Amino acid sequence: QILAGKYRVEAHVGSGGMSVVYKARDQVLGRDVAIKMLSSSRVSDEKSVRRFHQEGTAVGRLNHQNIVSVFDVGLTESGEPFLVMDFASGKMLTELVSFSGRCSLERALHLIDEVLDALIHAHEKGVVHRDLKPSNIIVSNPGETNETVRVFDFGIAKLMTGDEATNSELTQTGEIFGSPLYMSPEQ
């Protein structure tokens, strides 16, 4: 399948509660990209579509080596929204921990430092992730000296600047977002 006349979908990468991710090839620029699409069960839900669009807007504000970049936002011919992102190869932090177990203090501090750099950048741009967990962190070149962390999945991010009316429409009082095991205690 070709999206937007230039993204050739090659493989299914993963699925979550709200979206599906595919590996694709940008035929114009000759590079691999990730295509994130709203799950078909959510396409008819206006609030889900607006949240999905907000993710593209939020991540589009960010330009940091430890955050997966968004290159494009669009709609398929049938009206399904999609995001085109940098294809980050590597292993999710959950996979590394499951496979390797506990890592050295030095390595843990390095990984945490890169995640914090990403979050600081996002917060400076008015974006709060709200679902940071090991499965939303990918580690490129695991175990190598050039090991790098990339934070992704800003699907429930909160924009702290801009149109507060839009933000309040997407988050109602009492709504809780995130993965319970990784949420702050006050939530």
Side-chain angles (χ1 to χ4, degrees), residues 47 158 163-173 175:
K47 201 177 218 183
K158 181 172 180 74
D163 186 0
E164 293 304 322
T166 299
N167 284 329
S168 64
E169 289 171 15
L170 295 177
T171 307
Q172 297 176 0
T173 303
E175 269 188 309

Side-chain angles (χ1 to χ4, degrees), residues 112-174:
I112 290 168
D113 186 52
E114 289 201 351
V115 169
L116 291 175
D117 281 348
L119 295 177
I120 288 167
H121 175 76
H123 292 183
E124 287 172 348
K125 299 293 184 182
V127 177
V128 179
H129 191 288
R130 296 202 302 183
D131 196 24
L132 188 65
K133 57 188 176 183
S135 60
N136 288 339
I137 298 168
I138 195 160
V139 180
S140 298
N141 307 311
E144 309 274 326
T145 56
N146 61 341
E147 184 174 62
T148 306
V149 163
R150 306 282 298 280
V151 176
F152 65 98
D153 197 355
F154 284 74
I156 59 172
K158 181 172 180 74
L159 298 177
M160 301 304 292
T161 59
D163 186 0
E164 293 304 322
T166 299
N167 284 329
S168 64
E169 289 171 15
L170 295 177
T171 307
Q172 297 176 0
T173 303

Side-chain angles (χ1 to χ4, degrees), residues 40 53 66 136 150:
S40 56
H53 185 295
N66 299 116
N136 288 339
R150 306 282 298 280

